[in-house]
Amino acid sequence: GLISGAPPEKADWEWGQRSSLAARLNHKGWIRDLRGVEEIRSIEEFRGRWVLKDPFGAAGRGQLRGDGEPTAEQRRAIERRLERFGSLIREPWIDRAADFGCAAGIEGGEVRIVGIHRLQVDGQGRFRGIRIDEHGLRGEEESELRRMAMRVGSLLQAAGYEGAFGIDACRSVSGEFHSLLEANVRFTFGHVAWELARVLGATALEFGDEIPAGGTALLHPGNLAAWIRK
């Protein structure tokens, strides 16, 4: 069922605890070599264009971007966040032309791909929806994304994890394909979108302030509206 409002009294938030397996695997520093990112614990030398992320940030929140050495204001923000989180994830800044995702899972010792979709994001990289009727990947990009999902699934399985996961990818404005931007070790909105497609025939799941013409409401406007397209 789709539920909104306050969380239930009995809810498992274990993935957000640093001592749990899911928390360790959801830390953005996990498989950092495969993702091509760094985990920093102090303000070091910054070169080129960069983005800093909180270790457990999601949906594009908790990001700080810069070019070269941080400004005085950025340094203060970095110091505060290092004090709060202990470490931050530094990644190369990619100018994106398109974002993609793959919903997958591990069940009964087998890694299975649920579906591949187009991610809708705003100019700051924050999540705004999922389009599943036409993802827009080129043939070789889709193959690379599927291989990466299976590889991540194998690593999760080796770590003792079983359940839903998803990965994010993108194509840069220069045409370079990046098959692993994030690994989300949980039930994702990609899984929700594919289930809505199966049950209701949805072609897209979207979020915003107001429900546009042609949208079928799931969550009416308040702090946030959610709808599907058919």
Side-chain angles (χ1 to χ4, degrees):
L2 185 68
I3 302 170
S4 65
E9 291 182 5
K10 293 183 178 180
D12 182 9
W13 301 111
E14 193 175 65
W15 72 272
Q17 298 173 4
R18 296 190 182 204
S19 59
S20 72
L21 173 65
R24 178 168 65 85
L25 299 177
N26 270 297
H27 191 288
K28 292 184 184 297
W30 182 70
I31 56 171
R32 57 181 174 269
D33 293 338
L34 196 58
R35 295 180 57 224
V37 303
E38 304 172 86
E39 184 174 2
I40 66 168
R41 300 182 182 278
S42 62
I43 301 182
E44 306 162 352
E45 185 176 4
F46 281 66
R47 294 179 181 175
R49 303 170 77 194
W50 48 266
V51 56
L52 281 180
K53 297 181 179 180
D54 298 342
F56 293 100
R61 296 186 294 271
Q63 295 187 9
L64 183 66
R65 300 184 181 189
D67 191 351
E69 284 298 310
T71 64
E73 183 178 356
Q74 287 176 328
R75 291 182 73 89
R76 288 193 293 271
I78 294 169
E79 287 170 351
R80 287 195 299 269
R81 289 163 66 176
L82 283 171
E83 184 176 353
R84 178 181 179 185
F85 298 111
S87 67
L88 297 171
I89 306 303
R90 180 167 62 186
E91 305 179 6
W93 181 352
I94 301 171
D95 287 320
R96 305 180 188 182
D99 290 80
F100 311 95
C102 178
I106 305 167
E107 185 176 355
E110 182 180 351
V111 181
R112 182 177 66 90
I113 292 177
V114 176
I116 291 175
H117 44 266
R118 181 74 169 261
L119 291 171
Q120 298 173 322
V121 300
D122 65 14
Q124 299 299 314
R126 292 173 297 206
F127 174 70
R128 286 295 178 264
I130 291 171
R131 182 175 175 179
I132 59 178
D133 58 334
E134 185 179 346
H135 52 58
L137 282 161
R138 299 165 185 149
E140 66 276 12
E141 292 174 335
E142 181 175 352
S143 296
E144 187 177 345
L145 182 55
R146 287 180 178 274
R147 285 194 298 270
M148 182 58 75
M150 296 300 291
R151 187 175 179 184
V152 170
S154 295
L155 291 171
L156 287 170
Q157 196 173 24
Y161 178 81
E162 182 168 311
F165 74 95
I167 66 171
D168 297 340
C170 81
R171 183 190 303 133
S172 72
V173 295
S174 63
E176 183 179 10
F177 185 65
H178 301 265
S179 60
L180 182 60
L181 298 177
E182 301 279 359
N184 302 303
V185 189
R186 56 185 179 269
F187 195 82
T188 69
F189 271 115
H191 294 87
V192 174
W194 280 102
E195 184 65 8
L196 289 170
R198 186 186 70 82
V199 175
L200 300 177
T203 61
L205 167 64
E206 300 173 335
F207 302 86
D209 297 324
E210 298 291 336
I211 300 170
T216 301
L218 296 178
L219 182 65
H220 288 278
N223 294 328
L224 181 71
W227 59 93
I228 59 172
R229 296 184 186 271
K230 295 184 179 181

